[in-house]
Amino acid sequence: MSTKEIKEQVAKLMVATAQKWKAVYGKEEEATQEEKDGYAVFREEIDKKIDSLIPEREKLSICLTGCAAEGISHYDIEDSLQTVFKSGEGIQYDSESGQFWVYVNPRLVQKVLRHIDYHFPGGIDLNVSPNRYADNPWFQNWTQAERYLAQISAETGE
C-alpha cells in the first residue's frame, strides 16, 4: 500500500471514530455506561488499526518540548518552525501557556533543532525525549482527517 493510500485509510478510521463519538456523546441525553464502554472498546480497536497501518519510518517518535525564555512566545517558536516544517509532513505541533511540544519524525530532528538553535539561541529550555503521545504523522485530530478526505474527494470529483 502506498503512503497516500495508508494516509487515506488512517483518515477514514479517524473519521469513523469521530462519527462514533458524536453518536455516543453528541446527543442531548447523557450516554449510558454501556454506550461509553462500547465507544472505549471501539476507540481502542481503531487506535490499534491506525497504529498498525502507519509504517515505523513515518511515525513521529521524538518529542521536543520546552518553555520559552521571557520575551519569546510559544507562538513565535511554532510560527517560525511552521515556515519551514509544515504540520502533517513529519511534524505536529502543540502548545499551551508558554509550553510547547513538537512531535517529530526522527529524520527531521536535526533540522528542527538547528532551526530552533539558529532562530532562538539560548531562548528555549528544550528537552528531547521519545514520543509516547502523538505519533500519527498526518493528522493531529479528526477534523484534520475530515478536511483531508474532503480535499481528496474534491480532487477526484467524488
Side-chain angles (χ1 to χ4, degrees):
M1 203 180 321
S2 72
T3 300
K4 184 178 179 179
E5 291 168 325
I6 294 169
K7 186 175 177 179
E8 186 175 347
Q9 287 296 333
V10 168
K12 287 178 180 178
L13 289 169
M14 291 182 75
V15 168
T17 301
Q19 292 167 342
K20 181 77 167 181
W21 186 92
K22 290 171 188 174
V24 172
Y25 294 100
K27 55 189 180 176
E28 280 193 36
E29 66 275 358
E30 186 174 337
T32 65
Q33 190 59 48
E34 184 178 340
E35 290 171 319
K36 291 176 184 178
D37 293 346
Y39 173 76
V41 169
F42 175 83
R43 177 66 191 259
E44 188 175 323
E45 290 171 3
I46 293 294
D47 286 348
K48 285 178 183 176
K49 284 180 188 176
I50 289 172
D51 188 54
S52 71
L53 280 171
I54 300 172
E56 286 300 317
R57 70 182 183 283
E58 296 291 335
K59 290 185 179 182
L60 308 181
S61 58
I62 305 296
C63 178
L64 308 177
T65 185
C67 283
E70 195 169 320
I72 300 173
S73 162
H74 62 278
Y75 297 114
D76 297 333
I77 299 163
E78 191 172 326
D79 290 347
S80 175
L81 286 166
Q82 286 190 23
T83 61
V84 179
F85 307 100
K86 304 297 180 220
S87 187
E89 295 178 7
I91 193 166
Q92 293 285 4
Y93 301 94
D94 196 6
S95 59
E96 182 180 321
S97 303
Q99 179 82 15
F100 71 92
W101 298 264
V102 182
Y103 307 104
V104 187
N105 184 290
R107 70 180 181 274
L108 294 177
V109 171
Q110 274 193 313
K111 291 176 184 176
V112 171
L113 290 174
R114 272 192 236 124
H115 181 91
I116 290 171
D117 189 46
Y118 179 80
H119 292 281
F120 305 98
I124 302 170
D125 182 16
L126 187 67
N127 295 301
V128 180
S129 61
N131 176 20
R132 301 194 198 306
Y133 172 65
D135 61 2
N136 184 327
W138 305 298
F139 313 109
Q140 195 168 13
N141 55 52
W142 61 52
T143 303
Q144 290 177 347
E146 289 169 332
R147 283 190 207 130
Y148 176 75
L149 291 175
Q151 174 190 339
I152 61 172
S153 179
E155 289 171 1
T156 60
E158 293 178 4

